[in-house]
Structure formats: structure tokens, C-alpha cells
């Protein structure tokens, strides 16, 4: 397994270009299953999760060609209706195969995704929505087996929580259902708007995406299109924090600043200088990092996917802060690893208290999940001495050219191939 070696302490300076959004690309790739015509997707990041999705599409019956950041999805053969364990287990977003296949084939069997159990990381909101749309569902032999013999029928679905994935799965199925579907308490994340945007270009009739009430008028058929994915706001946020934590000054390009409002606002409260243009943000450390407590929430509140990186930053703030996680349980796996750098953090349920320290010192650390990995790299960049980050395959799921981009900004970082 590869490792990342960092000699910390360099101030990051210069410009970095943000790649296309992972969380937009995945549902958009699944949307290509809704048509037999070619779909071209641009601004696609090179990530393990994108490769996993392409592998799944190839298996189901598409021909997928990726050249640089452009992916073409072409028709190949009749779709299979089974998404097997070996292709699905690596990525929770594989559950998004359900919507399009149910809409096209009226049946789909999907292995329960990502090593999660229904109890620990549930998919009940997805399944409940499919039931409302007229599907029958049973779980047997590790598979969710779903069929809708007479096709999906539009209806009103009230989500108990605005799940991003469940909103996407309903969009990916109801676009071809008979009649009108309304989602109440839908997720409002920018990635939902991006998915609705490509689906509408394909001929769907979706209104209200980006608000908590989305209406979908089912159509009979969708056509092929070309679409460019929005920039990755979580990658951008990670580089914004990288500038602050290394006392640097960087310009982050190819972004939509509005999507980063909660990050910019909180960084400003920390005393970081921020300047925005139409598609870029410049981040400049001024003298010290003021502590700033945050609570994660659904968009446009502070994203749970930036919580780990924020804790890393607060480790070097001048004072105490509290970080509250409200979206996922048990998302503090990075805390014990950050303590290895000399951070002063106490965990209590879904809250952590961070007492800022004057300096961190490099350490060997292990990544437990994607964003935890980002936090450890950030701490390593700011820490004195050598940090070795192991299990970096988690980072490869979500950060396009991480070491290359950081090196260009002046970091002393390299990958040690296994
Ligand atoms: C997506 C993002 C992920 C981000 C998350 C929250 C992708 C590929 N992933 O994940 O990066 O952290 O949104 O912004 O876009 N839940 C249920 N039942 C369900 C579905 C979800 O209880 O059927 C719970 C989850 O356990 C979690 C919360 O709802 O506690 C949020 O999950 P959800 O919004 O569905 O996140 P994902 O779509 O999995």
C-alpha cells in the first residue's frame, strides 16, 4: 500500500486549479444509464470512485471511454439487472445504480454497498422512496432485491431527513416514472442541482432542484447530452484550509465561490483574509488563527465533509473551539490520529473540544476514511518534521492529483509506492 511522506512547515503559495466534483460526477455517471444515446461528461476528476463507477457501468452494459477529464458513455449491450458485491462493496454511492435500473428494467438487485450494514449506515430513505414509487423490495443473501412489475408511478415522497443520495436516487428513477413525483424535504446540495441540470438537458422535466421541494414530471424517454461537472467544493475547501494552516497565501481557481460560503465565512472569523472573484478565491494568513466553533449541517451550512479538516485547523488556533457533528455518527476517527501530532482534543459524543497548541510535530499516522485523510495531510503540512501517512488509498477516492497540486504550491510531499 502506498504512503505519503510530508516534511512539514512550508508555507503554501501560488495557484491551484480545482477538479470537477466527485459527488456530482458519480450520480451523473449513473444518469447515463437512463438513455441509450451517447452521453459526454466533461471536467471529470481522476479518482478511484470514478473508476469504480465506470467499472460498474461497463459491467451493467455500457461502453465507457475516459480520456483525461472527458468521459464518454456509449451504448454496448442489453443491461444486466444485478450489481454484484465485488463491484459495489468499495463505494457507498453504488446504491445510485438502483434508481436508473429500476426505471429502465423495472427490476434491480444491488449488493448492500460499501461494507455498511443497514443498521449502521442505513439506506432506508432510499428504499422507502422506491416503495412509494411502487417498487417491491426484499433483502436477501446480502442483496437488496427490487422490482416494480408495472413500472414506477409518480407520487409525493416526504423524506424524514434530506438525504443527498436518496434525493439523487429518486431523481434518477422518477424522471422515467408515470406521472408527477414530488419530493418534500429534499436535499439542497449543489450536486443535486447539477444532476437535475444534466437530466433536464436529457429531456427530463424537473423543477425546484436546489430547494427542499422538487417536482419531477415523468417522461417516456431521455436522450444523450454533453455536460460539464461543477467544481468540487470539498476539494476547494480543503485547499482553503491548507492555505490557512500553513500560514500561506494561495489562489484557488475554477470554483463557484457561492458554494463555499460557509467555509469562507468561518475562515474570515478566524482572521484569515479572503478575496473572491467570479470563479476564484484567494486565501491569506494574516497573523494568527482565531478559534471558531462550528456545527456541521445540510447545505448551505458547514459541510460534514470538511469537519475533519476544520478540526486540523483548530488544533493550531489561539484558543479553544468546539466542533459538533450532526450528520454522521462516529465521524471522529481522525481525532486519535491528530493527537499523535500533539494536538489537544477531547471527544464527547458528537462533539469535540479542541484546545489550540502552538505547534504540531510530525508523526506516523493512518487514514481511516477520505476526509479524515485530508485532515491528516493538512496537519502534516503544518507540523514540524516528518509525517508518514499510510492507507492513502482512501485519499485516492476523492482527491485528484493531491501530491502534485500540493507540491506545486510549495509543499514538501511525495508518495512512496508500495
Ligand atoms: C453524500 C456525500 C457525502 C456527504 C453526505 C452528506 C456523495 C457520493 N456522498 O453521502 O460525501 O458526506 O452526502 O452531505 O454524494 N441516512 C439514513 N438513511 C438513508 C440515507 C441516509 O438514515 O437512507 C443518514 C446517513 O446515515 C447519514 C445522513 O442520513 O447520517 C446523511 O446521509 P446522506 O445525505 O444520504 O449522505 P450520502 O448520500 O450517503
Amino acid at each position: 500500500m502506498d504512503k505519503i511522506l510530508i516534511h512539514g512547515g512550508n508555507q503554501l503559495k501560488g495557484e491551484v486549479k480545482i477538479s470537477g466534483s466527485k459527488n456530482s460526477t458519480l450520480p451523473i455517471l449513473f444518469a447515463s444509464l437512463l438513455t441509450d444515446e451517447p452521453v459526454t461528461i466533461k471536467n471529470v476528476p481522476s479518482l478511484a470512485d470514478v473508476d469504480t463507477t465506470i467499472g460498474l457501468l461497463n459491467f451493467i452494459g455500457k461502453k465507457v471511454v475516459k480520456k483525461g477529464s472527458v468521459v464518454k458513455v456509449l451504448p454496448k449491450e442489453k443491461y444486466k439487472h444485478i450489481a454484484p458485491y465485488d463491484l459495489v462493496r468499495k463505494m457507498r454511492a453504488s446504491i445510485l445504480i438502483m434508481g436508473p435500473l429500476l426505471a429502465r428494467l423495472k427490476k434491480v438487485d444491488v449488493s448492500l454497498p460499501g461494507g455498511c450494514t443497514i443498521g449502521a449506515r442505513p439506506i432506508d430513505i432510499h428504499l422507502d422512496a422506491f416503495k412509494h414509487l411502487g417498487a417491491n423490495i426484499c433483502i436477501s443473501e446480502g442483496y437488496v432485491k427490487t422490482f416494480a412489475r408495472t413500472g414506477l408511478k409518480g407520487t409525493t415522497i416526504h423524506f424524514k431527513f434530506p438525504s443527498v443520495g436518496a434525493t439523487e436516487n429518486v431523481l434518477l428513477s422518477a424522471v422515467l416514472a408515470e406521472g408527477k413525483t414530488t419530493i418534500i424535504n429534499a436535499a439542497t446540495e449543489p450536486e443535486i442541482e447539477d444532476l437535475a441540470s444534466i437530466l433536464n438537458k436529457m429531456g427530463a422535466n424537473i423543477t425546484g432542484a436546489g430547494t427542499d421541494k422538487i417536482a419531477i414530471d415523468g417522461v417516456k424517454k431521455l436522450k444523450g447530452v454533453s455536460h460539464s461537472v461543477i467544481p468540487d467544493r470539498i476539494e476547494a475547501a480543503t485547499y482553503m484550509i491548507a492555505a490557512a494552516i500553513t500560514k500561506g497565501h494561495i489562489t484557488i481557481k475554477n470554483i463557484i465561490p457561492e458554494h463555499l460560503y460557509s467555509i469562507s465565512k468561518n475562515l474570515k472569523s478566524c482572521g484569515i483574509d479572503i478575496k473572491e472573484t467570479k470563479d476564484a478565491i484567494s486565501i491569506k494568513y494574516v497573523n494568527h488563527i482565531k478559534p471558531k466553533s462550528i456545527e456541521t449541517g445540510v447545505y448551505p451550512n458547514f459541510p460534514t465533509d470538511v469537519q475533519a479538516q476544520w478540526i486540523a485547523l483548530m488544533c493550531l488556533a489561539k484558543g479553544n473551539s468546539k466542533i459538533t457533528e450532526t450528520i454522521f455518527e462516529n465521524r471522529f476517527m481522525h481525532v486519535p490520529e491528530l493527537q499523535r501530532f500533539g494536538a489537544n482534543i477531547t471527544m464527547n459524543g458528537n462533539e469535540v473540544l479542541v484546545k489550540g497548541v502552538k505547534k504540531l510535530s510530525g508523526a506516523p499516522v493512518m487514514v481511516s476514511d477520505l476526509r479524515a485523510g485530508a485532515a491528516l495531510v493538512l496537519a502534516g503540512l503544518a507540523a514540524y518534521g516528518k509525517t508518514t501517512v499510510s492507507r492513502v488509498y482512501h485519499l485516492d477516492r476523492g482527491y485528484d492529483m493531491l501530491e502534485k497540486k500540493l507540491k506545486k504550491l510549495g509543499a514538501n510531499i511525495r508518495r512512496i509506492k508500495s
Side-chain angles (χ1 to χ4, degrees):
M1 279 188 283
D2 293 1
K3 291 183 178 171
I4 286 179
L5 185 65
I6 304 170
H7 287 278
N10 291 4
Q11 294 179 318
L12 298 192
K13 292 214 164 87
E15 286 180 5
V16 61
K17 195 169 162 236
I18 296 305
S19 301
S21 160
K22 167 177 92 70
N23 288 352
S24 257
T25 300
L26 305 182
I28 283 173
L29 280 168
F30 286 114
S32 69
L33 288 167
L34 290 165
T35 178
D36 291 328
E37 296 180 16
V39 173
T40 302
I41 310 165
K42 297 177 187 161
N43 201 28
V44 173
S46 291
L47 301 171
D49 277 8
V50 170
D51 294 341
T52 301
T53 309
I54 290 176
L56 196 47
L57 294 182
N58 278 324
F59 174 84
I60 293 294
K62 290 290 195 191
K63 180 178 177 211
V64 188
V65 185
K66 183 171 188 296
K67 265 201 195 135
S69 62
V70 179
V71 171
K72 282 190 197 312
V73 187
L74 307 163
K76 187 178 70 184
E77 62 197 15
K78 203 165 154 250
Y79 292 169
K80 297 179 190 68
H81 77 281
I82 299 175
Y85 175 74
D86 270 347
L87 291 174
V88 164
R89 69 185 164 84
K90 295 183 198 150
M91 192 184 74
R92 182 176 156 82
S94 307
I95 195 73
L96 297 178
I97 196 122
M98 279 187 87
L101 288 190
L102 198 51
R104 294 295 307 275
L105 306 177
K106 300 185 184 163
K107 65 176 175 182
V108 52
D109 295 353
V110 184
S111 174
L112 284 169
C116 65
T117 61
I118 285 232
R121 247 189 118 174
I123 51 166
D124 55 324
I125 303 173
H126 300 243
L127 301 188
D128 195 51
F130 289 135
K131 279 184 201 157
H132 275 86
L133 288 165
N136 289 288
I137 297 172
C138 75
I139 293 169
S140 91
E141 297 159 331
Y143 278 73
V144 188
K145 300 186 175 180
T146 312
F147 66 92
R149 214 157 268 148
T150 55
L152 299 175
K153 308 273 185 298
T155 184
T156 298
I157 303 166
H158 293 255
F159 281 167
K160 64 173 182 181
F161 178 86
S163 156
V164 173
T167 304
E168 290 165 348
N169 241 336
V170 172
L171 289 177
L172 289 166
S173 51
V175 281
L176 289 179
E178 190 187 316
K180 181 175 173 176
T181 300
T182 308
I183 312 173
I184 312 285
N185 200 24
T188 60
E189 270 68 3
E191 294 77 21
I192 304 285
E193 276 190 83
D194 204 22
L195 175 62
S197 154
I198 182 173
L199 289 170
N200 280 340
K201 283 196 229 166
M202 290 168 78
N205 190 352
I206 302 168
T207 49
T211 75
D212 61 2
K213 185 176 170 189
I214 304 181
I216 308 143
D217 267 312
V219 295
K220 288 232 155 30
K221 211 173 162 190
L222 295 178
K223 58 177 193 282
V225 282
S226 173
H227 181 83
S228 187
V229 172
I230 58 169
D232 196 310
R233 62 193 168 98
I234 307 301
E235 188 197 15
T238 304
Y239 283 99
M240 289 168 79
I241 295 174
I245 203 170
T246 63
K247 304 183 178 175
H249 181 188
I250 72 178
T251 301
I252 298 169
K253 295 189 135 179
N254 190 30
I255 55 164
I256 301 174
E258 185 195 328
H259 292 171
L260 290 153
Y261 174 73
S262 65
I263 311 295
S264 303
K265 187 182 79 176
N266 282 295
L267 280 174
K268 279 180 195 161
S269 307
C270 293
I272 304 296
D273 186 44
I274 297 200
K275 288 196 176 59
E276 288 180 10
T277 61
K278 196 169 74 54
D279 60 358
I281 296 186
S282 111
I283 316 287
K284 189 177 174 194
Y285 173 87
V286 183
N287 53 34
H288 64 270
I289 300 161
K290 291 186 204 157
K292 177 73 176 70
S293 298
I294 56 109
E295 181 174 311
T296 64
V298 296
Y299 188 82
N301 295 307
F302 197 95
T304 174
D305 286 351
V306 189
Q307 174 257 99
Q309 300 90 313
W310 194 260
I311 293 182
L313 180 66
M314 288 302 101
C315 290
L316 286 167
K318 205 170 177 182
N320 302 345
S321 57
K322 190 170 85 176
I323 285 83
T324 310
E325 172 59 53
T326 72
I327 304 294
F328 287 105
E329 347 166 311
N330 198 16
R331 201 178 190 179
F332 287 134
M333 311 275 271
H334 37 286
V335 166
E337 295 301 300
L338 286 170
Q339 285 165 338
R340 298 169 62 81
F341 290 94
N344 186 341
I345 314 174
T346 326
M347 279 196 277
N348 182 15
N350 72 333
E351 290 176 359
V352 300
L353 180 67
V354 187
K355 292 187 178 166
V357 293
K358 282 214 163 66
K359 65 172 193 140
L360 297 175
S361 32
V365 287
M366 191 181 282
V367 179
S368 57
D369 61 80
L370 171 57
R371 307 304 170 185
L376 301 182
V377 169
L378 291 174
L381 292 171
Y384 288 95
K386 180 175 133 185
T387 291
T388 314
V389 183
S390 53
R391 300 207 173 161
V392 298
Y393 58 86
H394 289 290
L395 282 159
D396 296 335
R397 289 188 45 217
Y399 287 93
D400 190 5
M401 296 183 289
L402 180 68
E403 308 96 83
K404 201 171 164 195
K405 289 185 184 184
L406 285 171
K407 205 178 237 172
K408 195 170 159 248
L409 291 169
N412 186 341
I413 182 169
R414 70 183 168 94
R415 181 175 290 240
I416 308 167
K417 293 265 182 199
S418 59

